[in-house]
Amino acid sequence: MSKFVSTSVRSSMSRRARYSGIQKQVLGLYRSMLRAVNTKPADGQTVWREHIRAEFNKSSGLGRGNVTAIEHRLRIGTRQLQLVEQPNVPYLAIKTIPRRKQPSDAPSS
């Protein structure tokens, strides 16, 4: 850093958050997905954005040390980004799959 930079600028630069490599990848994927949504028809962009935000929020509970799970979600997200970027996919249709009942879900007699 130059010796001509004022101390107030220097201290604000040191307070800036420093992201790890994997954090940068996640943020980059999120930004890329939002940019890809801008190429979709205007009437469907809100649904796309809500879905992307929900997916990232769902994965936000992963701990910082859970690198394997984070990398797995990054690979899934990258494949989904490729789908979003395709021009022949203008709208998002979300199909919810009902959860199968587990033996532990059954009421006891």
Side-chain angles (χ1 to χ4, degrees):
M1 188 174 318
S2 171
K3 64 181 177 179
F4 300 109
V5 176
S6 72
T7 56
S8 63
V9 171
R10 201 174 292 153
S11 65
S12 68
M13 292 171 92
S14 64
R15 280 185 258 151
R16 188 180 325 154
R18 295 179 190 248
Y19 296 112
S20 68
I22 200 160
Q23 287 174 319
K24 289 178 184 178
Q25 288 177 337
V26 171
L27 290 170
L29 177 64
Y30 185 72
R31 289 183 189 123
S32 296
M33 287 194 143
L34 292 179
R35 273 190 229 111
V37 167
N38 290 334
T39 65
K40 303 300 175 192
D43 58 338
Q45 288 182 5
T46 304
V47 176
W48 281 100
R49 282 192 194 95
E50 288 173 358
H51 176 70
I52 291 168
R53 193 172 295 125
E55 286 297 314
F56 274 84
N57 283 336
K58 199 176 0 175
S59 298
S60 68
L62 294 174
R64 249 184 119 134
N66 200 348
V67 177
T68 307
I70 295 169
E71 287 175 341
H72 175 71
R73 295 295 297 170
L74 271 171
R75 283 191 300 274
I76 291 171
T78 303
R79 277 182 271 158
Q80 289 176 347
L81 174 62
Q82 292 170 352
L83 290 173
V84 171
E85 288 176 333
Q86 291 182 2
N88 61 342
V89 181
Y91 295 100
L92 175 68
I94 302 171
K95 180 179 181 184
T96 57
I97 301 171
R99 195 179 81 143
R100 279 194 241 165
K101 291 188 177 185
Q102 301 294 324
S104 61
D105 292 345
S108 59
S109 4

